[in-house]
């Protein structure tokens, strides 16, 4: 039986090394969000392990938590940056679906604890949309002042079409 090799953009052995360099914390998009919020005067904790999902930004004064998600790893539906890999489809489908469901469960737990949960997607932080997205995030966090009444599930999204 002849094995059919698929073409890869990586040299043999490079894919494993490349994937090993991907980190779960201190990503450039997390730093971008934190830097903006800090410059606007908000103080927070980062990657707090006391809460489900270890939120990227925890703002206790505002009873708000921010998750900064990569479109691929968290299955951002309808996003150009998310598509299932064409090789090892069963593995990737299982892994990414599990990530997506875990995100939903953790968000539900946090809301049940009385936190407001915000999600910022990687594609919303590109050069053309970052300022608008970050401004909307800041306004959404501070909109309620110090009141903690009601639990909201808010997701910061551009009003314009993706592209």
């Amino acid at each position: 039986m002849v094995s059919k090799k698929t073409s890869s953009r990586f040299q043999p052995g490079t894919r494993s090394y490349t994937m090993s360099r991907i980190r779960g914390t201190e990503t450039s998009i997390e730093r971008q969000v934190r830097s903006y919020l800090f410059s606007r005067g908000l103080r927070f904790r980062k990657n707090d392990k006391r809460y489900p999902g270890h939120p990227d930004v925890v703002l206790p004064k505002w009873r708000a938590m921010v998750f900064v998600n990569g479109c691929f790893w968290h299955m951002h539906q309808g996003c150009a940056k998310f598509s299932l890999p064409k090789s090892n489809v069963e593995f990737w489908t299982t892994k990414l679906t599990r990530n997506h469901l875990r995100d939903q469960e953790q968000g539900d737990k946090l809301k049940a604890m009385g936190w407001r949960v915000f999600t910022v997607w990687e594609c919303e932080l590109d050069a053309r949309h970052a300022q608008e997205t970050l401004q909307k995030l800041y306004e959404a966090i501070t909109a309620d002042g110090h009141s903690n009444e009601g639990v909201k599930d808010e997701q910061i999204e551009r009003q314009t079409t993706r592209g």
Side-chain angles (χ1 to χ4, degrees):
M1 180 174 179
V2 176
S3 138
K4 183 179 180 183
K5 286 193 170 191
T6 58
S7 64
S8 175
R9 15 181 255 182
F10 298 106
Q11 294 295 321
T14 308
R15 180 185 310 266
S16 177
Y17 174 77
T18 302
M19 295 301 281
S20 74
R21 308 311 311 156
I22 297 171
R23 298 290 170 231
T25 59
E26 293 301 319
T27 63
S28 61
I29 56 177
E30 285 178 24
R31 289 192 309 267
Q32 182 180 8
V33 170
R34 288 195 314 257
S35 176
Y36 180 83
L37 295 177
F38 191 85
S39 73
R40 296 296 307 264
L42 298 180
R43 299 302 179 249
F44 49 82
R45 291 188 296 252
K46 60 182 189 174
N47 305 107
D48 197 329
K49 293 182 178 11
R50 294 178 290 178
Y51 302 105
H54 307 171
D56 300 311
V57 177
V58 178
L59 299 124
K61 178 179 177 180
W62 303 96
R63 286 300 281 176
M65 295 194 176
V66 179
F67 288 91
V68 184
N69 289 345
C71 296
F72 174 74
W73 294 106
H74 296 271
M75 288 184 73
H76 189 199
Q77 300 300 321
C79 176
K81 291 189 176 201
F82 170 70
S83 64
L84 280 172
K86 303 210 179 344
S87 63
N88 207 359
V89 176
E90 185 178 332
F91 167 79
W92 284 108
T93 302
T94 303
K95 178 175 184 54
L96 297 176
T97 301
R98 189 174 58 236
N99 288 352
H100 186 70
L101 293 174
R102 186 184 62 231
D103 290 344
Q104 289 175 339
E105 290 171 8
Q106 291 166 345
D108 291 343
K109 287 178 185 176
L110 291 169
K111 286 181 266 179
M113 294 167 63
W115 290 91
R116 294 182 298 140
V117 178
F118 300 91
T119 301
V120 179
W121 291 97
E122 173 186 14
C123 63
E124 296 170 338
L125 296 172
D126 65 4
R128 293 182 312 196
H129 303 101
Q131 190 63 33
E132 177 186 354
T133 300
L134 294 170
Q135 179 63 33
K136 286 182 181 182
L137 175 63
Y138 174 80
E139 290 170 0
I141 290 170
T142 59
D144 290 342
H146 292 69
S147 93
N148 294 325
E149 59 195 16
V151 178
K152 300 177 184 176
D153 177 20
E154 301 184 44
Q155 185 177 39
I156 307 304
E157 290 200 34
R158 295 190 310 271
Q159 299 299 319
T160 59
T161 59
R162 298 194 192 285

